[in-house]
Structure formats: C-alpha cells, structure tokens
C-alpha cells in the first residue's frame, strides 16, 4: 500500500509510455507506476547506488525488471527519453538545480510532478525563468507532516508574490483546511527563525514572508 504522499504523486502523473522516477529510493513509486497502469516502462534513477539496488531488487521480485531502466545519476541526466517525471522528497533548491541543469529535458516532457521537502518558495519564484508553470498542486498531510506536490508543465508562469509565492497559486486560491493548516505551520517556522539574533538579509526576507502569510490568514 502506498503512502498518501506517493499515492497523490501517482494520481498527478499522466498515463503515458514512459515515466521517470527521479530519486527512486526503494522503488515503491517505480513499482506502482507499472502495476497500476500508469506507464509501460519506467526510468528509475537515483544518485545513491545502494538505493538504486534496492529498487532493482523490488522490481525483480515482482518480475517487472524487464520493464524498467536503472540509472545511477543526478537529476534528469539519464540516457533515455521519458514523457513525464516524478521528482519527490528533495529540497526545493535541489529540485531547482535539477530543472536548471536539465531544462531542455524538463521542457520536453508532458509534465513533471515535484514534491519540494523545503524551500518551496525558491522553486515557485524561479518558474518564469524555467519556462514552467503550475498546472495542478495540493498539500498532503500525513503522520503530522505536510507534503506539497506540484504538477508542472511547459508554459508561461506569471511571477508569483505574497502567499502565492509561498504556498502556491492554486493552493492559496483554494484556501482549503489543509492549506490553511500548512500556512499556520509555516508561519511558526518563520517566527522561530526570527527569534535568532543577528538580523541581516535572511531575517529581513523571513520577516517579509511571515508578513505575507499572516495577511493571507487574516483574509476572510
């Protein structure tokens, strides 16, 4: 059984011939992509050779190793075409580095489903320069943690500001209970960051972000 986070990622991905599972780890999503009819072939990649080996074993045990290609590599630098990709569980800045380094590959895909584990705002701010825009997004709450998931497609993303640049343009417009809870949690993170002495540019940015999110929560 998939976690709620992985199930949501699976749901956001399209049905197509080949999907890349970037940072595949133990291969749970890789296996689900094949067994649940999302694609005919999976490109499973991970920067960690031991993690990739675990994914290979998982697919071999399911007699599906012949429907996957395995690459120990960084980001989207695998040597095989894919129509979509899942890039989950990495920091937003790491995902941003991947999308910048392999921008042509990213733009050639039907979509990318990303789940930034931190620094989501860095990714949202960079979308216009990447040539990518938000097609769908949601925030999953599981085991007391929040997991923002975003489906990106090629397109012109209007520059984001305020709460939309922190929690996403579609999430901020919906104002659903999970998004509001996530926003309150993020305010707490920023408040704790501001308690540290020192000031400087980072704290100024944190104060501005907190102000934008607080204003968002105070809206009717």
């Amino acid at each position: 059984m998939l976690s709620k986070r992985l199930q949501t990622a699976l749901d956001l991905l399209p049905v197509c011939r080949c999907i890349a599972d970037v940072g595949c780890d133990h291969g749970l999503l890789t296996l689900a992509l094949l067994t649940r009819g999302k694609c005919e072939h999976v490109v499973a990649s991970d920067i960690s050779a031991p993690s990739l080996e675990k994914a290979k074993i998982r697919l071999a045990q399911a007699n599906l190793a012949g429907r996957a290609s395995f690459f120990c590599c960084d980001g989207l630098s695998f040597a095989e075409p894919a129509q979509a990709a899942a890039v989950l569980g990495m920091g937003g800045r790491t995902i941003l580095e991947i999308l910048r380094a392999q921008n042509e590959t990213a733009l050639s895909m039907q979509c990318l489903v990303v789940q930034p584990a931190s620094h989501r705002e860095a990714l949202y701010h960079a979308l216009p320069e990447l040539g990518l825009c938000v097609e769908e997004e949601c925030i999953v709450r599981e085991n007391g943690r929040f997991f923002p998931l975003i489906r990106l497609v090629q397109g012109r993303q209007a520059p984001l500001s305020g709460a939309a640049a922190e929690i996403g343009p579609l999430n901020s417009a919906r104002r659903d209970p999970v998004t509001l809870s996530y926003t309150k949690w993020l305010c707490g993170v920023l408040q704790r960051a501001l308690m540290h002495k020192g000031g400087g540019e980072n704290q100024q940015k944190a104060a501005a972000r907190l102000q934008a999110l607080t204003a968002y929560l105070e809206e009717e």
Side-chain angles (χ1 to χ4, degrees):
M1 182 176 177
L2 288 180
S3 66
K4 190 175 181 181
R5 175 182 73 98
L6 291 181
Q7 181 62 56
T8 302
L10 187 74
D11 293 341
L12 287 171
L13 286 162
V15 176
C16 57
R17 191 192 69 80
C18 180
I19 296 176
D21 184 6
V22 179
C24 64
D25 196 31
H26 293 189
L28 292 172
L29 181 61
T30 305
L31 180 62
L33 287 167
L34 295 172
T35 58
R36 302 192 187 186
K38 276 290 180 175
C39 58
E40 300 171 13
H41 191 84
V42 174
V43 172
S45 71
D46 203 292
I47 200 169
S48 165
S51 292
L52 192 64
E53 189 61 31
K54 291 175 184 177
K56 288 181 181 180
I57 292 170
R58 186 177 296 276
L59 263 70
Q61 289 173 340
N63 294 317
L64 289 169
R67 292 177 60 190
S69 300
F70 300 91
F71 295 91
C72 187
C73 65
D74 187 19
L76 305 175
S77 60
F78 42 81
E80 192 167 324
Q83 286 72 57
V87 188
L88 311 181
M90 305 176 197
R93 291 174 179 168
T94 299
I95 294 174
L96 180 52
E97 288 175 5
I98 290 171
L99 297 179
R100 279 178 173 154
Q102 289 107 30
N103 191 237
E104 186 175 342
T105 300
L107 292 176
S108 72
M109 292 184 179
Q110 184 177 331
C111 75
L112 300 102
V113 173
V114 301
Q115 183 251 303
S118 60
H119 299 295
R120 298 97 178 163
E121 75 288 348
L123 182 59
Y124 280 124
H125 278 296
L127 290 179
E129 73 171 81
L130 295 170
L132 295 167
C133 65
V134 177
E135 183 179 57
E136 184 56 272
E137 63 181 349
C138 64
I139 298 170
V140 171
R141 188 170 191 174
E142 186 173 34
N143 298 325
R145 297 177 62 191
F146 294 99
F147 302 97
L149 290 111
I150 312 161
R151 184 167 65 214
L152 299 173
V153 297
Q154 183 176 358
R156 192 182 187 91
Q157 176 69 59
L160 300 173
S161 61
E166 298 290 333
I167 59 177
L170 303 183
N171 289 328
S172 60
R174 290 191 189 110
R175 298 183 67 85
D176 61 88
V178 175
T179 296
L180 293 175
S181 294
Y182 170 68
T183 305
K184 291 175 183 176
W185 171 82
L186 190 52
C187 284
V189 172
L190 292 169
Q191 287 169 345
R192 288 190 292 275
L194 289 170
M195 291 175 63
H196 296 291
K197 297 180 181 180
E201 184 179 353
N202 287 339
Q203 284 208 319
Q204 291 175 7
K205 288 181 180 179
R209 293 173 61 198
L210 178 59
Q211 184 178 17
L213 290 172
T214 301
Y216 171 77
L217 289 172
E218 290 175 350
E219 294 173 8
E220 294 185 0

